[in-house]
Amino acid sequence: MQESITLKTTESLGAVAHQEDGRTLAITEFLHQHQSALQSMIEGYWFSKKGSVVDLAIDDASIRFQTAANGIFVVKYKVSYFFACDDITTDNRESMICSFHIDLDNQTVMIAGENQPERTPDEF
């Protein structure tokens, strides 16, 4: 399973996408503007485990371009579990390496989380 989202680019990101100066700042601003969409994507990984994603933060220092239009970054967050019977909440700190691809032709940015292989059902 790999969660992903596709977002419309902003003018500032499209203008500096092929320039080394300023593109890291532009993608950083873009990611911060779409942090709620990013959090929704991350929640997809924890939904079946009944975990709630809170305190999501983008590690600005981790943003790296691998090519002119592709790169990676790290998000840090907490996964909270609430056990109603015992009235206990536990928080686990997590992080995930996400990738991004800027498609200037379609004016979109595709962000993908980590690929987590799913186990096939056991045979009887």
Side-chain angles (χ1 to χ4, degrees):
M1 167 184 87
Q2 184 175 29
E3 299 286 331
S4 66
I5 54 174
T6 302
L7 306 165
K8 291 299 260 176
T9 59
T10 58
E11 293 295 322
S12 61
L13 182 59
V16 297
H18 290 296
Q19 303 170 4
E20 285 197 40
D21 295 341
R23 71 177 175 192
T24 302
L25 179 60
I27 194 71
T28 302
E29 290 173 357
F30 179 84
L31 292 173
H32 284 284
Q33 289 172 358
H34 294 89
Q35 192 162 328
S36 61
L38 183 58
Q39 181 164 338
S40 295
M41 182 192 81
I42 300 292
E43 286 172 348
Y45 286 94
W46 298 97
F47 180 77
S48 65
K49 298 174 186 171
K50 310 275 191 268
S52 174
V53 175
V54 295
D55 298 336
L56 183 126
I58 299 163
D59 183 2
D60 294 345
S62 70
I63 298 173
R64 300 279 183 265
F65 276 86
Q66 297 169 323
T67 66
N70 297 313
I72 59 171
F73 63 97
V74 174
V75 290
K76 296 179 180 182
Y77 54 94
K78 285 194 274 187
V79 178
S80 292
Y81 297 96
F82 178 66
F83 301 99
C85 295
D86 298 327
D87 195 27
I88 296 174
T89 301
T90 61
D91 294 325
N92 298 330
R93 293 204 171 274
E94 299 284 341
S95 66
M96 182 179 291
I97 299 172
C98 296
S99 61
F100 62 88
H101 172 71
I102 303 168
D103 184 352
L104 292 177
D105 295 334
N106 295 317
Q107 297 181 344
T108 59
V109 176
M110 198 270 294
I111 300 172
E114 294 177 349
N115 186 18
Q116 296 181 348
E118 294 182 63
R119 185 174 166 209
T120 58
D122 294 332
E123 293 184 26
F124 294 107

